[in-house]
Amino acid sequence: MALLEVKNLGIEFPMRREVLRALQGVSFSLDAGERLGIVGESGAGKSIAAFAIINLLSKPGRINAGEILFEGRDLTVLDDNAMRDIRGNRISMIFQDPMMTLNPVLTIETQMIEVLKAHREISDNDARKIAVEKLREVAIPSPEDRLKSYPHELSGGQRQRVVIATALLTNPSIIIADEPSTALDVTIQAGIMALMLNLCKSHDMGLILITHDLAVVSQVTERVVVMYAGRVVEEGPTADIVTHPKHPYTRGLIAALPQEGTAGKRLNQIPGSMPTLDAIPDGCAFHPRCPHADDVCRASVPEIVKVGNQFSRCVKATELAEENSL
Amino acid sequence: MSGPLVETRDVEKRFDLGGYFWQQDKPVVRALNGVSIAIEKGESFCLVGESGCGKSTLARCIMGLLDLSEGEVFYKGEQIDRLSAKAMMPYRRRMQMIFQNPYASLNPRMTIQKTLEEPLRFHFPEMKNGEVRDKVEEVMTSVGNDPAWGTRYPHEFSGGQRQRISIARALMVDPDFVVADEPISALDVSIQAQVLNVMMDARDSRDLTYLFITHDLSVVRHFGTRVGVMYLGALCELAQTKTLFDTPRHPYTQVLLNAIPKLSTTELIHTPMMGEVPTAIKLPSGCVFHPRCPYANERCSREVPAGTTLDDGTVVACHAVEENRI
Ligand SMILES: Nc1ncnc2c1ncn2[C@@H]1O[C@H](COP(=O)(O)OP(=O)(O)OP(=O)(O)O)[C@@H](O)[C@H]1O
Ligand SMILES: Nc1ncnc2c1ncn2[C@@H]1O[C@H](COP(=O)(O)OP(=O)(O)OP(=O)(O)O)[C@@H](O)[C@H]1O
Ligand code: SF4
Ligand SMILES: [Mg+2]
Ligand SMILES: [Mg+2]
């Protein structure tokens, strides 16, 4: 049985005039110790999927379909108390914005000790020791001194490393990291990603890495879910997806990456942009931006089908797979 | 106009980290240690470097948001670092800033329309309502945003959408100089390309000069005219963009270029830089990079390297380069 199984999840935002559908039929799973990447453009619904798992959807968002099974228990029907026991303890989350985790008026020390005390019986002194150890693991210089700092006294990158250290305090079985390293410089990012990779392996900790950086995903995760306009459009082993992407959207994303030899040239950008929720196109939501789109694509939402080692939500999946082009 | 648009001369910035008044050595963060840059009109000057190296601090010193400890800042030859709030007003309009964090930089309780109107009403109180609305629409359209977003609130938008709103807000008052502090690091590849295009179009059509702060070197390659590489509050290399990528001279620049994540089918292998993660509280003697530098010798640990100008115009602060050892 998978450690975490998201089944057919639907999320909606009832607005004054209409109901916006943020996620539709989203399914994926995570085994113990497995590292899964969720990629897709801004607005694809990656963060919303993550927030739903830990029951932190922003108002008026609500789950309208599906299940989220953690160790077989459905998180969508847990009461607040039971959920608090899981969130920040068994499942930790690292947000895109470090200030969503850090309280600006409390020292790092107070905040880290608070997290530990919320979930277990522990003395301040022991909690402080764990905090220092975790800060050292994420390469915060002079951790003892830094405990006394307030968040605003740290640089953006240092703040995010404090957040990561805080997420590790309770040795969770899943870490959900939403763009954990986008605010970090490359040398630190490489270090943090290597650190998370090693932590996952040594503690058998599962990782859901949400990012738009396919390069990072390719170096850290074992499987990838590609999202577009609130749906999963491609899913499969990371190595297969980066070398033989099947869905035209994934192909576009990979072609847009700056790589060796693109210096000075313009990057290929996918034309247009991710639709907003009030304007999700009928049929395949990607069709207005897709070079292969025709009437069939516009008619109905494609099923997700198996092609090779992965799954693709594209009516032309099989056909495109036969072409040898990237 | 002769001379640079914006210039810093030997800017130093220290932050006192509290401590007790009877303490002999109160902890001091030496965030900037003599940084001189000159940005010509029409340039897209990029600043890169590790988290905490002082990029944002330098930007805030230039913008008059922080008092300098030492040194001077000039705008079109006028010294602006010691101006009263009133005397600074005209410069506040001509110099705008786009922040690192698209989540914190927009007021959550203000509609997009209000957010965009605010700087206009502040700097041009005599403007008529109709003119204000027209200006908002013009700017929103020019950065590829739907003016109909005006009635909505920031939390209804994804990161990329919010950052395009932040860009629009900065452009509202027709600035000459825009400091963009990590404006695209939270965005997806294909959206990054679009936002970069928006910024480049604005540069051409509105005659802008940019100071662009980023840790993403692949972005610098596409956007920058010149690049300054910072390490621990000091400038270690300053070069034309192409020159920097073709022939990185400073050992730290070489490390940075190597750490760029690449699309791959193998797991991340990370060779951490040797030495301790540096801290701006206990600044290393001599060249601040020497504890981590494979080329360091005794002189490096003793003497702060001055900038050497090479034949191609590149300025490098490294004894090994000066001594022709690398
Ligand atoms: N409270 C809300 N009300 C209405 N729409 C919302 C709300 N929160 C998010 N959305 C919309 O839901 C969609 C998905 O948002 P989400 O934040 O999950 O995107 P994302 O994939 O994480 O993007 P990014 O990479 O920019 O973080 C977006 O179109 C966004 O505008
Ligand atoms: N208000 C402050 N009080 C004390 N120290 C500060 C303050 N602001 C910044 N610092 C320190 O100054 C140094 C430079 O910080 P700065 O924010 O300029 O870094 P940065 O290069 O922008 O980093 P990042 O890439 O992480 O944003 C850091 O060591 C930081 O901790
Ligand atoms: S000056 Fe010396 S220590 Fe500093 S980077 Fe150059 S060789 Fe290395
Ligand atoms: Mg997100
Ligand atoms: Mg910064």
Side-chain angles (χ1 to χ4, degrees):
Chain A
M1 186 184 63
L3 177 64
L4 180 78
E5 201 170 354
V6 174
K7 279 183 168 172
N8 213 10
L9 186 66
I11 290 183
E12 60 182 22
F13 288 94
M15 308 301 270
R16 226 169 302 156
R17 258 175 258 140
E18 59 191 325
V19 174
L20 300 178
R21 310 234 267 166
L23 293 191
Q24 296 184 67
V26 168
S27 302
F28 57 86
S29 69
L30 183 80
D31 288 331
E34 193 182 23
R35 302 181 305 277
L36 174 78
I38 301 184
V39 298
E41 278 179 302
S42 188
K46 308 180 296 292
S47 297
I48 286 189
F51 290 144
I53 294 172
I54 53 167
N55 200 354
L56 278 187
L57 277 180
S58 75
K59 291 246 154 62
R62 65 179 182 218
I63 294 176
N64 65 354
E67 295 173 318
I68 301 167
L69 303 176
F70 175 64
E71 294 174 334
R73 277 204 293 174
D74 187 358
L75 299 186
T76 64
V77 297
L78 281 194
D79 63 40
D80 286 355
N81 263 337
M83 194 61 216
R84 256 195 295 275
D85 204 41
I86 291 178
R87 185 199 312 137
N89 188 26
R90 306 293 320 284
I91 304 180
S92 282
M93 173 116 187
I94 297 165
F95 295 98
Q96 205 159 356
D97 174 8
M99 292 316 285
M100 280 182 77
T101 311
L102 296 175
N103 185 330
V105 303
L106 299 178
T107 62
I108 304 306
E109 176 172 32
T110 311
Q111 308 194 36
M112 291 183 83
I113 291 179
E114 226 168 56
V115 167
L116 273 166
K117 291 194 130 180
H119 295 293
R120 63 192 57 165
E121 295 287 322
I122 188 169
S123 72
D124 280 12
N125 240 337
D126 289 344
R128 191 175 298 112
K129 275 190 202 129
I130 297 178
V132 167
E133 179 196 317
K134 298 299 179 190
L135 287 175
R136 190 165 285 129
E137 282 188 65
V138 298
I140 287 283
S142 334
E144 285 93 350
D145 296 344
R146 275 307 183 188
L147 274 181
K148 308 282 183 244
S149 300
Y150 290 89
H152 74 269
E153 294 172 346
L154 305 176
S155 73
Q158 290 167 332
R159 254 178 250 161
Q160 192 61 301
R161 277 177 278 157
V162 168
V163 168
I164 294 171
T166 307
L168 296 173
L169 283 172
T170 56
N171 294 322
S173 45
I174 300 178
I175 287 217
I176 303 176
D178 189 352
E179 308 275 6
S181 61
T182 33
L184 307 182
D185 66 284
V186 282
T187 58
I188 301 289
Q189 169 174 301
I192 291 282
M193 283 302 154
L195 173 76
M196 292 187 72
L197 185 65
N198 291 336
L199 283 165
C200 288
K201 287 182 170 172
S202 58
H203 297 53
D204 210 25
M205 184 169 69
L207 174 69
I208 299 181
L209 179 64
I210 297 174
T211 174
H212 59 264
D213 193 336
L214 272 161
V216 169
V217 160
S218 76
Q219 293 178 317
V220 174
T221 66
E222 298 155 288
R223 273 191 316 121
V224 186
V225 167
V226 184
M227 289 189 64
Y228 190 82
R231 287 184 197 273
V232 174
V233 294
E234 182 159 0
E235 200 245 282
T238 307
D240 290 304
I241 289 190
V242 300
T243 50
H244 305 287
K246 292 291 193 303
H247 196 281
Y249 176 58
T250 320
R251 293 182 176 198
L253 279 185
I254 289 173
L257 281 181
Q259 295 193 45
E260 221 80 70
T262 58
K265 295 177 199 144
R266 270 178 74 96
L267 293 172
N268 293 313
Q269 60 179 73
I270 306 175
S273 64
M274 172 80 61
T276 50
L277 297 182
D278 53 1
I280 297 181
D282 288 336
C284 169
F286 187 60
H287 83 251
R289 307 176 72 189
C290 180
H292 308 286
D294 61 18
D295 286 343
V296 185
C297 308
R298 285 180 273 268
S300 64
V301 179
E303 293 295 316
I304 193 156
V305 295
K306 191 161 197 319
V307 252
N309 284 332
Q310 60 248 61
F311 293 85
S312 170
R313 190 183 291 284
C314 170
V315 284
K316 308 208 162 165
T318 322
E319 192 180 317
L320 289 174
E322 277 157 17
E323 289 172 27
N324 227 357
S325 66
L326 175 86
Chain B
M1 189 192 71
S2 61
L5 181 66
V6 174
E7 191 180 356
T8 71
R9 287 194 202 148
D10 297 316
V11 168
E12 292 184 22
K13 178 66 193 173
R14 295 179 290 272
F15 294 102
D16 294 328
L17 274 194
Y20 299 102
F21 66 87
W22 63 81
Q23 263 182 296
Q24 285 285 311
D25 317 297
K26 288 184 197 153
V28 170
V29 179
R30 301 193 44 186
L32 297 174
N33 303 297
V35 177
S36 305
I37 57 171
I39 303 172
E40 307 294 332
K41 191 165 162 28
E43 266 203 288
S44 298
F45 188 100
C46 294
L47 264 187
V48 299
E50 207 147 13
S51 170
C53 72
K55 306 179 296 293
S56 299
T57 302
L58 183 63
R60 283 151 72 203
C61 286
I62 291 174
M63 298 294 292
L65 301 173
L66 280 177
D67 292 330
L68 312 186
S69 304
E70 306 288 339
E72 288 132 29
V73 176
F74 297 87
Y75 189 85
K76 290 191 178 162
E78 310 276 338
Q79 188 172 350
I80 59 167
D81 53 275
R82 278 168 183 76
L83 295 184
S84 66
K86 186 154 181 278
M88 192 64 193
M89 271 280 276
Y91 297 100
R92 289 227 189 284
R93 179 185 72 75
R94 287 148 77 183
M95 302 164 51
Q96 289 289 315
M97 192 148 175
I98 302 165
F99 289 92
Q100 191 159 3
N101 184 336
Y103 291 83
S105 63
L106 295 174
N107 183 337
R109 278 174 290 277
M110 237 190 235
T111 62
I112 304 306
Q113 183 74 21
K114 259 235 126 103
T115 300
L116 295 173
E117 287 182 0
E118 200 182 40
L120 272 183
R121 300 212 185 269
F122 181 75
H123 286 287
F124 304 100
E126 71 290 348
M127 246 174 129
K128 298 203 177 60
N129 286 342
E131 289 172 334
V132 170
R133 273 195 301 274
D134 289 349
K135 182 75 188 175
V136 170
E137 185 164 339
E138 182 259 312
V139 174
M140 281 292 270
T141 314
S142 78
V143 301
N145 294 347
D146 184 350
W149 290 359
T151 55
R152 294 163 64 184
Y153 288 87
H155 73 269
E156 297 175 43
F157 295 93
S158 71
Q161 294 162 339
R162 284 187 227 199
Q163 201 57 302
R164 272 162 32 210
I165 294 166
S166 301
I167 293 174
R169 184 180 53 183
L171 297 180
M172 285 309 299
V173 291
D174 294 326
D176 301 321
F177 178 63
V178 173
V179 174
D181 191 348
E182 307 271 8
I184 60 168
S185 38
L187 312 177
D188 310 82
V189 242
S190 96
I191 302 297
Q192 286 194 350
Q194 293 178 8
V195 171
L196 281 180
N197 290 344
V198 162
M199 291 185 66
M200 271 150 55
D201 293 347
R203 175 180 65 195
D204 300 341
S205 64
R206 293 167 196 266
D207 218 11
L208 293 180
T209 303
Y210 284 115
L211 171 59
F212 191 97
I213 297 173
T214 180
H215 55 260
D216 187 343
L217 283 148
S218 52
V219 170
V220 171
R221 201 186 289 188
H222 289 269
F223 190 75
T225 49
R226 280 192 303 151
V227 193
V229 181
M230 286 181 68
Y231 186 82
L232 267 196
L235 203 62
C236 41
E237 182 159 359
L238 203 163
Q240 299 286 335
T241 304
K242 185 167 180 341
T243 312
L244 189 95
F245 282 93
D246 291 348
T247 48
R249 303 301 301 267
H250 196 284
Y252 175 64
T253 313
Q254 295 174 357
V255 170
L256 261 190
L257 293 187
N258 276 331
I260 301 176
K262 294 171 194 72
L263 203 61
S264 85
T265 51
T266 50
E267 243 171 45
L268 177 64
I269 303 168
H270 175 64
T271 8
M273 248 191 281
M274 56 188 256
E276 284 272 303
V277 181
T279 148
I281 301 177
K282 295 185 205 116
L283 218 54
S285 61
C287 167
V288 284
F289 190 57
H290 90 261
R292 314 186 82 184
C293 177
Y295 306 99
N297 63 14
E298 186 273 331
R299 183 184 173 205
C300 298
S301 64
R302 203 166 21 85
E303 195 183 315
V304 177
T308 313
T309 308
L310 309 178
D311 291 343
D312 57 11
T314 301
V315 180
V316 188
C318 172
H319 296 307
V321 171
E322 191 211 73
E323 294 163 6
N324 268 320
R325 291 194 280 121
I326 47 171

